[in-house]
Amino acid sequence: MNNFLKSGFLLGLGAAVAGKEKVDETIMKLVEKGNMTQAEADTVFDDLFKKGEGKSEEWNEEFRKMARSQLSEWGFVTREELDVVQAQLALLQEEVSSLRNSGLNREIDEAENHMENIPPGFSKDI
């Protein structure tokens, strides 16, 4: 999959560079022939640049969606999902620790209560 994405990216980049070079060449020929002023050429370049930026953002967002979808399909979780699970785990660990401590304290209390009935002369220390 990685080679596929890399090949697709390089293909798109190559096409964009070739297209840009062709557009530059065509516009410069129009300026040289006097069919277009340099100011008009600059405006066309600016417009094309702005459209390219917009399309780039659109492609980036589409790529992000595709990557998220693919990662989800493979069973990966999002950062938000992982954060939720980690928070739940921390709460469960606290609860287990609390239950263990309360249970241990209860057992100690019961053992001490039973030791009150030890006859005189016998040690409570075991």
Side-chain angles (χ1 to χ4, degrees):
M1 184 67 177
N2 189 20
N3 285 336
F4 175 73
L5 291 174
K6 183 178 178 181
S7 296
F9 174 75
L10 293 176
L11 179 65
L13 185 59
V17 169
K20 182 201 176 294
E21 289 172 353
K22 191 67 173 170
V23 167
D24 287 348
E25 181 183 320
T26 302
I27 291 175
M28 293 315 292
K29 283 182 182 177
L30 289 172
V31 170
E32 288 172 8
K33 291 181 181 178
N35 294 338
M36 181 183 283
T37 67
Q38 187 60 48
E40 291 172 328
D42 291 343
T43 301
V44 169
F45 283 128
D46 287 344
D47 289 346
L48 289 174
F49 183 78
K50 288 176 186 173
K51 286 180 184 179
E53 282 182 327
K55 190 52 92 170
S56 176
E57 282 301 316
E58 182 182 321
W59 286 347
N60 285 339
E61 185 57 35
E62 287 179 28
F63 178 77
R64 281 188 211 101
K65 286 179 184 177
M66 181 186 72
R68 282 186 196 118
S69 173
Q70 188 63 55
L71 290 172
S72 177
E73 188 176 308
W74 287 340
F76 287 85
V77 296
T78 64
R79 170 59 60 193
E80 293 79 17
E81 291 169 328
L82 179 61
D83 290 344
V84 167
V85 170
Q86 286 176 328
Q88 291 172 338
L89 179 60
L91 289 173
L92 287 172
Q93 287 172 330
E94 288 176 17
E95 190 172 328
V96 166
S97 178
S98 175
L99 289 171
R100 282 185 179 158
N101 288 337
S102 68
L104 180 60
N105 290 339
R106 191 176 339 109
E107 289 177 19
I108 291 171
D109 290 343
E110 287 177 15
E112 287 177 352
N113 288 337
H114 292 293
M115 289 185 173
E116 291 174 359
N117 298 329
I118 295 178
F122 287 92
S123 172
K124 292 182 181 182
D125 297 329
I126 298 177

